[in-house]
Amino acid sequence: MDDGKQAMRDERRIHRQSWLLGVASFAILTLVFPVYAALAQSDEDIARDPVALVRRAAQNELKTDHGNHPYRYQLHKVDDNKVTTKEIVETKDGEVARLVAQNDKPLDPQAQQAEIDRLNNLEAHPELQAHRHKKEQEDSNRANEMLRLLPDAFLYKYESMVNGPNGPCYRLSFQPNPSFDPPDREAQVYHGMAGELWIDREQERMVKLDAHLIADVDFGWGILGRLYKGGSILVEQADVGEHHWETTRMKLSLTGKALMIKPLSFQTTEDASHFEPVPPETGYQNAIKMLLSNPDGAQVAEGHGR
């Protein structure tokens, strides 16, 4: 049962929001110049008012509905030297995951059976999935609130154009906005963050957030906790097909303390890959059947490249 609870906690930490990720080429010179001039003007607009771009990109992220575009994918995770690979199916009832590898090796028969038993128990008890789905939605709502604050939490500067996973991206740098008033404890972290934000030019979606803590950040006046200067947060996403964006990488390297005495350390890397769409009406019990139809998960464990 402890393994099952741990698996549920691990699954809840999988953030599927879509957070964060081309352009036509022309061969006739007479067509290139006017198009280039138009793009240059657009880039000048971005340089003058980058926060307007960030606001549009944030709105595009927030209006995304993953429930209508569920996917099946693999998640390779390194967490405090523990390496796992899971196969995950998004459904209208929330995500369902199956552990298929540890330390990049397929599970032994005993561990495989434990996963099968856990999934069979989950299928027989819808209340467990309902509870998990509720937690996923709460996590998603918190992430969305943080996303809504991005345009106002920082001062942005247009730096250059860069090549992203789906084409040209605007590369913006950001620093804390001294006028930003965090509405809650979670948002206080923005006062100590700086870094870069990449936004896809064609679809105006967030491609990469690469942030670093430039100062210690206190939560609850330092009583509840503190994150130390020097930590980093990296989130990347990409169009995985038909203008559907998914998070493809998340890397956290954070240290601090909780309740003034308990050390905190988050050293986690997650890489998602092998995205395949599933029918929008897929329920969690159908997802379990899909996961159990793969006898041992060996082919899933063979590759976790991005």
Side-chain angles (χ1 to χ4, degrees):
M1 185 64 182
D2 290 342
D3 291 342
K5 290 182 178 178
Q6 182 61 45
M8 289 171 61
R9 287 194 293 268
D10 288 344
E11 290 170 25
R12 288 200 299 266
R13 293 178 62 188
I14 302 168
H15 299 291
R16 309 301 318 135
Q17 24 174 321
S18 7
W19 231 103
L20 318 146
L21 334 149
V23 168
S25 60
F26 298 91
I28 304 175
L29 183 59
T30 55
L31 292 178
V32 171
F33 181 77
V35 172
Y36 175 81
L39 291 176
Q41 180 63 43
S42 175
D43 292 350
E44 289 177 1
D45 292 340
I46 298 301
R48 284 194 298 267
D49 188 13
V51 71
L53 172 65
V54 176
R55 200 173 302 281
R56 292 195 303 272
Q59 291 171 350
N60 289 336
E61 300 297 333
L62 290 168
K63 69 183 181 183
T64 299
D65 186 357
H66 287 285
N68 291 331
H69 302 279
Y71 269 71
R72 179 176 183 169
Y73 64 99
Q74 297 172 33
L75 187 74
H76 183 263
K77 182 176 181 179
V78 181
D79 188 5
D80 293 329
N81 297 319
K82 179 182 178 181
V83 182
T84 58
T85 304
K86 292 182 179 181
E87 187 174 5
I88 299 171
V89 180
E90 299 171 336
T91 81
K92 61 184 179 66
D93 305 318
E95 295 176 342
V96 182
R98 178 183 178 181
L99 180 67
V100 296
Q102 290 181 318
N103 297 319
D104 295 328
K105 295 180 180 179
L107 301 184
D108 60 36
Q110 183 177 1
Q112 287 181 31
Q113 189 59 51
E115 276 297 285
I116 292 172
D117 292 343
R118 181 185 66 81
L119 287 171
N120 283 332
N121 182 67
L122 181 62
E123 183 178 15
H125 294 86
E127 70 277 8
L128 296 177
Q129 181 65 23
H131 177 73
R132 179 184 292 111
H133 190 204
K134 180 181 178 181
K135 288 305 230 178
E136 287 178 2
Q137 291 176 319
E138 291 173 353
D139 290 343
S140 178
N141 289 338
R142 283 194 292 269
N144 285 342
E145 286 304 314
M146 294 293 286
L147 186 59
R148 287 188 182 93
L149 298 174
L150 273 181
D152 300 313
F154 300 103
L155 302 177
Y156 295 90
K157 179 183 177 183
Y158 171 74
E159 297 291 349
S160 67
M161 296 298 298
V162 291
N163 291 324
N166 300 107
C169 298
Y170 299 106
R171 181 173 71 92
L172 309 178
S173 62
F174 62 84
Q175 298 285 337
N177 182 354
S179 300
F180 174 65
D181 183 18
D184 52 37
R185 292 195 304 269
E186 291 174 332
Q188 289 178 21
V189 70
Y190 283 161
H191 270 323
M193 287 174 57
E196 288 189 357
L197 177 64
W198 293 15
I199 297 177
D200 182 83
R201 181 163 65 182
E202 181 182 6
Q203 299 187 52
E204 293 192 339
R205 296 294 299 268
M206 295 183 181
V207 172
K208 181 166 76 171
L209 174 73
D210 188 1
H212 303 271
L213 292 184
I214 57 175
D216 291 351
V217 178
D218 289 336
F219 296 90
W221 301 279
I223 298 174
L224 295 180
R226 173 178 295 174
L227 291 177
Y228 295 143
K229 176 182 177 180
S232 62
I233 301 171
L234 173 67
V235 181
E236 297 179 356
Q237 67 171 11
D239 183 344
V240 298
E242 299 183 357
H243 301 301
H244 179 77
W245 289 69
E246 291 274 358
T247 302
T248 55
R249 168 165 263 225
M250 182 178 70
K251 185 174 183 179
L252 303 178
S253 179
L254 300 168
T255 57
K257 61 182 178 181
L259 299 176
M260 298 298 294
I261 56 174
K262 183 179 179 180
L264 292 176
S265 179
F266 302 97
Q267 307 297 326
T268 302
T269 301
E270 297 182 357
D271 288 290
S273 61
H274 300 80
F275 289 92
E276 298 179 358
V278 298
E281 68 277 7
T282 300
Y284 94 94
Q285 291 172 323
N286 289 333
I288 290 175
K289 291 181 172 62
M290 293 168 59
L291 293 172
L292 292 178
S293 67
N294 179 15
D296 57 14
Q299 65 268 35
V300 176
E302 287 174 358
H304 58 265
R306 298 170 60 195

